[in-house]
Amino acid sequence: MCGRYANYIRDLGDWEKILGDWPDDIVLGYNIAPTQTVPVFIDHRDQHKGMSMRWGLVPSWSKEPAPKFATFNARSETVAEKPAFRTAWGKSQTCLIPALGYYEWKGEKGSKQPYFIRTKNSEPLVMAGLWDYWRGDDLELYSCTIITQPAVGQLTEVHARMPVTLELRQAEAWLKDGINRFNLIVKQQHTDRLDIYLVSKTVNRSTSEGEELISRDVNL
């Protein structure tokens, strides 16, 4: 799964041409949690468009703007079938969700150790997502979810699942024809480009914030 991540990205690197148009009304951070507003990129009239969206997808058919079930992740195995996601999937409402990296926890409940996962070259770790649009009597809401899959490679030692991430060459294809290419993208996942390391348990508190959260914990 992916339930917490950092998106305070200082250098877009080679991703500049795709992620250059960041929305202005976003507060970036090192401890982003579900229901917060995050930057998301979609394909709009053959151009990349950055938008502000709620992390936790609200399906267009929902009666309320806050589902009673968790929708911040969508499993790759069932995303096309689950009621919460199948409308967005059927409309190919794919998106890119950029991160500096994400957190994962390992161990027994009550003593779990957090890890931070990022790219070795410090470029953005871009996750594959879906988005949807919800409208009520006096509210319009764009929201998104991160697609996850069974973990592969060294990530299996930390958690059973991981977000589906995209390399630069895959990002354009995901935005324009992602549904048809999805199985291939999942099969091409690897962890060679990732840096995985222990961090302080301070991040366990969702209210904690700051660059120190992603620092390697040298006291362990």
Side-chain angles (χ1 to χ4, degrees):
M1 63 179 295
C2 178
R4 208 85 66 77
Y5 71 96
N7 62 5
Y8 201 105
I9 302 171
R10 290 191 174 94
D11 184 8
L12 293 176
D14 292 336
W15 284 91
E16 175 72 32
K17 61 182 179 181
I18 292 181
L19 305 179
D21 182 27
W22 282 64
D24 296 328
D25 56 343
I26 290 292
V27 177
L28 303 179
Y30 292 93
N31 198 6
I32 304 300
T35 73
Q36 288 186 249
T37 301
V38 298
V40 173
F41 290 80
I42 67 171
D43 183 69
H44 179 67
R45 298 176 182 176
D46 293 326
Q47 291 186 337
H48 307 128
K49 180 180 180 181
M51 298 183 64
S52 304
M53 295 193 188
R54 175 191 187 271
W55 181 22
L57 189 141
V58 180
S60 57
W61 49 260
S62 178
K63 294 181 179 180
E64 301 292 337
K68 296 179 180 179
F69 41 88
T71 57
F72 57 89
N73 284 170
R75 297 172 69 94
S76 61
E77 304 93 317
T78 58
V79 63
E81 307 163 4
K82 288 291 185 180
F85 309 119
R86 65 188 179 196
T87 299
W89 180 268
K91 293 181 178 180
S92 197
Q93 291 175 176
T94 54
C95 64
L96 308 175
I97 303 175
L100 178 63
Y102 71 97
Y103 300 95
E104 199 53 84
W105 282 260
K106 178 182 179 179
E108 299 298 324
K109 186 175 181 180
S111 61
K112 289 189 174 183
Q113 171 62 51
Y115 289 74
F116 192 63
I117 298 103
R118 64 188 302 176
T119 60
K120 291 178 180 178
N121 63 6
S122 297
E123 286 197 348
L125 185 68
V126 178
M127 300 176 285
L130 289 175
W131 65 274
D132 211 343
Y133 170 73
W134 182 89
R135 182 174 183 177
D137 293 335
D138 55 359
L139 177 65
E140 292 183 313
L141 180 66
Y142 286 90
S143 60
C144 64
T145 187
I146 295 170
I147 302 177
T148 69
Q149 68 167 86
V152 299
Q154 57 184 327
L155 278 175
T156 59
E157 300 176 9
V158 178
H159 198 274
R161 300 193 67 80
M162 69 183 207
V164 176
T165 59
L166 301 163
E167 295 186 32
L168 188 60
R169 59 185 175 83
Q170 300 169 318
E172 194 81 46
W174 173 246
L175 288 180
K176 292 185 177 297
D177 191 31
I179 303 307
N180 294 324
R181 296 172 180 259
F182 184 63
N183 289 336
L184 178 60
I185 290 173
V186 169
K187 289 179 181 178
Q188 291 177 335
Q189 296 290 299
H190 62 86
T191 60
D192 296 346
R193 65 194 181 106
L194 299 180
D195 187 15
I196 305 169
Y197 57 88
L198 299 167
V199 293
S200 169
K201 291 182 180 180
T202 304
V203 73
N204 293 357
R205 297 190 299 272
S206 61
T207 55
S208 297
E209 186 52 71
E211 189 172 7
E212 64 275 8
L213 296 180
I214 66 169
S215 298
R216 297 175 189 272
D217 195 331
V218 296
N219 295 317
L220 292 173

